[in-house]
Amino acid sequence: MQKKTKLFKVMGLACSMAATILCMAPQAAQAAYPEKPITIVIPFAAGGAADTLGRLLAEKIGQKVKQPVIVENKPGAGTLIASQHVANAKPDGYTLLLAASSLGTIPSINKDARYDPVESFVPITQVASVVHVISVNPEVPVKNVKELIAYLKQNKGKVSYASLGTGSSTQLEAEMFKSMADVDMQDIPYKGSAPALTDLISGRVQVMFDAWASTGPYAKAGKVKVLAVTTDKPSPSIPDMPTISEAVPGFSAMPWLGLVAPKGTSPAVVEIIYKAVHESVQQEEVKDRFRTLGLDVIGSDPATFGDFIRKDVQTWGEVIRKAHITVNP
């Protein structure tokens, strides 16, 4: 009887040890992340500011996690192709998306998006904001946003703004401005900043919302007149520039770039990538590089970024519905 009791005790101890080992196994596997190269999918072609940022992030993350980080460019359909690709990727932390503001706006514009900007992804960090400004042709007789509003009211139906097409941040910012300032402008779409700025300089269009990185050189040369930044607070990149919100209370438009992962990616993995990015973007050399790209460093934590995305989706969804913007007429 004593032998049986001892046998049961030994068997019980063995089962307990086995259960402990099984419970520890996932933790050990998780602790080993990353065990292989990580891929950051960029929804833009090589060579632009977002691509440059993505490659800088890949380098810095790789140094922190001791694994190569590969950049994969998947441009097309206004970032839709890349977003769908990552939404459907395995949630193991090895496929990340350098998302842009369009991650949240495309589903409101395109009924065929086939992803939800909140439910299909796990937020990691908002890496940076893209500094945007409102500019006018130098011949437009205004010196600030308040005077521009008065000018637009006096010339209703006579003023055009340049945008980069349906659903672009340039169009959405202009439509938000129209609504909040109660003014009217006609949208003239272009296939890129260069031709749009050419027509702004020539006077074919009178107003444009665009990135400071594109507009800045022309403003410094006196070819366009920059009136304000679109954020509700001054930009560290151009701290002396007024904000639109000084003339239009509540106006705030912050195009952004951030890292997200497929839904189901573990919090532990998210935290590893977040810490690697957060530590990297605090380096002065990284901040300086961001500024040359027309970007302001953010580096928010996953929870804060998630809240920001939800609010951003709601804000732009309302603008899109009010302006009847769609690619599915």
Side-chain angles (χ1 to χ4, degrees), residues 108-240:
S108 295
I109 296 167
N110 188 344
K111 64 183 181 183
D112 298 323
R114 300 198 303 278
Y115 74 81
D116 184 289
V118 174
E119 299 299 332
S120 300
F121 300 95
V122 175
I124 299 175
T125 179
Q126 182 186 355
V127 180
S129 63
V130 185
V131 182
H132 269 216
V133 295
I134 179 173
S135 305
V136 297
N137 175 272
E139 298 301 317
V140 176
V142 302
K143 298 187 295 294
N144 53 52
V145 175
K146 186 176 180 180
E147 290 182 3
L148 175 62
I149 293 171
Y151 177 80
L152 292 172
K153 289 181 181 294
Q154 292 167 5
N155 294 273
K156 189 173 182 180
K158 299 178 182 179
V159 179
S160 299
Y161 74 86
S163 79
L164 303 188
T166 302
S168 64
S169 58
T170 55
Q171 183 196 36
L172 298 183
E173 289 164 11
E175 292 299 325
M176 175 187 274
F177 181 76
K178 284 170 56 178
S179 176
M180 295 185 70
D182 190 24
V183 294
D184 183 48
M185 296 186 289
Q186 180 183 357
D187 177 16
I188 307 297
Y190 291 83
K191 292 184 178 180
S193 290
L197 282 164
T198 296
D199 277 7
L200 180 65
I201 293 167
S202 71
R204 291 189 181 93
V205 291
Q206 294 75 46
V207 182
M208 184 175 180
F209 286 78
D210 199 13
W212 171 246
S214 303
T215 309
Y218 296 101
K220 292 171 184 176
K223 295 182 178 181
V224 301
K225 191 166 22 178
V226 176
L227 302 181
V229 293
T230 62
T231 45
D232 59 352
K233 297 177 182 178
S235 163
S237 296
I238 39 177
D240 296 329

Side-chain angles (χ1 to χ4, degrees), residues 14 69 114 283 325 327:
V69 180
R114 300 198 303 278
Q283 300 171 9
I325 299 170
V327 297

